[in-house]
Amino acid sequence: MATLGELERAVMDLLWERPEAITANELRDLLSQRPAADGRGTDVKSLAVTTVLTVLSRLEKKGLVERERNTRPHRYQAVTSRAEHTAELMLEVLGSAPDREAVLARFIGTVSDGEAETLRKLLGRS
Amino acid sequence: MATLGELERAVMDLLWERPEAITANELRDLLSQRPAADGRGTDVKSLAVTTVLTVLSRLEKKGLVERERNTRPHRYQAVTSRAEHTAELMLEVLGSAPDREAVLARFIGTVSDGEAETLRKLLGRS
DNA sequence: GTAAAACTTCTACAGGACGTAGAAGTGTCG
DNA sequence: CGACACTTCTACGTCCTGTAGAAGTTTTAC
């Protein structure tokens, strides 16, 4: 339930960096500009709008995207920010562990120094 | 690459709580004792050993499981602890975010008080 | 106001991951 | 060597994702 496909991901990334809702057509254009995920090759593959719409519908069903149904070309936007979504994902992963503290310990051990500092600040003093 | 199926998950859970490597047959027995994931019904469904073996092979290919090939009934064990694995997953999720600090902020905000305390201890004083 | 254009919804299919397991091959023990 | 245990191969149904044409609906342009 957590994982997104490559295209779904690309769509969400675009929606996340936009404050305003956008249409499927706009999305399709943005998607075709983005360089192919696999790097090499300016593979400007243009998707069919229906493809984008299908993906958007699926994302809507998953609760990640919201659409304005009143305006005619429907406009789509992300329901939560990327940060929120990512944090939720992390919690989901963590949640399924019976040994949460051990997990957190490992986690902390791998985070960069700068981030550790950030965490310290965020946690403040009890 | 991160997500495990339900059965794969069940197998890993068993391997994780066992310090010693065990055989596919033992695993199958343990699996049949476990109550159906969906709760209701003491659904003691017995799997074929080949099913368990297939799953183990897939987990091996994914690098989560290791098998002793020299002993005759091969014995399987988890490569990393559950805590390690979970922490890696969390990092994987976090890693794909361009706004790591924002994610961490949300994350911290949702963790329980007790865990926040633990985190504080783990981070220590810089 | 009607036909064309734009837009949305429905239906579909291929490919990959996973649950599931029989068939076939190989090693083991008596 | 033959029966049995164990492993590997092959296979299939299902679900998810990428992809999009066909069909239906709404808006627009004359």
Side-chain angles (χ1 to χ4, degrees):
Chain A
M1 209 225 233
T3 329
L4 296 180
E6 192 177 336
L7 180 54
E8 291 178 326
R9 183 84 209 169
V11 167
M12 286 312 297
D13 277 340
L14 286 170
L15 291 180
W16 273 325
E17 53 186 60
R18 236 141 283 259
E20 291 301 320
I22 62 180
T23 70
N25 269 300
E26 290 168 332
L27 260 173
R28 190 217 32 196
D29 293 342
L30 292 168
L31 283 169
S32 62
Q33 282 171 224
R34 132 209 93 141
D38 66 4
R40 58 179 197 61
T42 325
D43 181 272
V44 182
K45 73 154 30 180
S46 219
L47 297 173
V49 181
T50 50
T51 299
V52 178
L53 283 167
T54 301
V55 169
L56 284 168
S57 291
R58 289 176 183 164
L59 288 171
E60 190 187 22
K61 193 180 315 178
K62 292 184 189 179
L64 295 180
V65 160
E66 208 170 46
R67 85 169 85 185
E68 295 168 14
R69 281 202 138 84
N70 24 324
T71 71
R72 214 0 64 168
H74 294 178
R75 293 183 164 276
Y76 301 78
Q77 68 190 320
V79 168
T80 64
S81 72
R82 169 168 28 206
E84 245 173 288
H85 177 252
T86 307
E88 269 167 35
L89 264 193
M90 286 177 60
L91 285 166
E92 195 182 312
V93 170
L94 176 61
S96 65
D99 44 5
R100 292 169 63 108
E101 304 218 339
V103 175
L104 289 176
R106 312 260 171 180
F107 177 72
I108 291 303
T110 325
V111 153
S112 81
D113 286 357
E115 278 162 356
E117 185 52 43
T118 306
L119 284 174
R120 241 174 253 121
K121 278 184 194 130
L122 286 168
L123 285 164
R125 82 203 44 288
S126 168
Chain B
M1 208 226 237
T3 330
L4 296 180
E6 193 177 335
L7 180 52
E8 292 178 324
R9 183 84 208 168
V11 167
M12 286 311 298
D13 277 340
L14 286 171
L15 291 180
W16 273 325
E17 52 185 61
R18 235 142 283 259
E20 293 301 321
I22 62 180
T23 69
N25 269 301
E26 289 168 333
L27 261 173
R28 188 217 34 195
D29 293 343
L30 292 168
L31 283 169
S32 64
Q33 282 172 223
R34 131 208 93 139
D38 67 4
R40 58 179 202 64
T42 324
D43 179 272
V44 183
K45 72 155 31 181
S46 219
L47 297 173
V49 183
T50 51
T51 299
V52 178
L53 283 166
T54 300
V55 169
L56 284 168
S57 291
R58 288 175 183 164
L59 289 171
E60 190 186 22
K61 194 180 315 177
K62 292 185 190 178
L64 294 181
V65 159
E66 210 170 44
R67 85 168 85 185
E68 295 167 13
R69 282 201 138 85
N70 25 324
T71 71
R72 210 6 56 174
H74 293 179
R75 290 181 166 276
Y76 301 77
Q77 68 191 319
V79 168
T80 64
S81 72
R82 170 168 27 206
E84 246 174 287
H85 177 253
T86 308
E88 269 166 35
L89 265 193
M90 286 177 63
L91 285 167
E92 195 181 311
V93 171
L94 175 61
S96 66
D99 44 4
R100 292 170 62 109
E101 304 218 338
V103 175
L104 289 175
R106 313 261 170 178
F107 177 71
I108 292 302
T110 325
V111 153
S112 82
D113 286 358
E115 278 161 355
E117 185 51 43
T118 306
L119 284 175
R120 240 174 252 122
K121 280 187 192 124
L122 286 169
L123 284 164
R125 186 116 337 284
S126 166

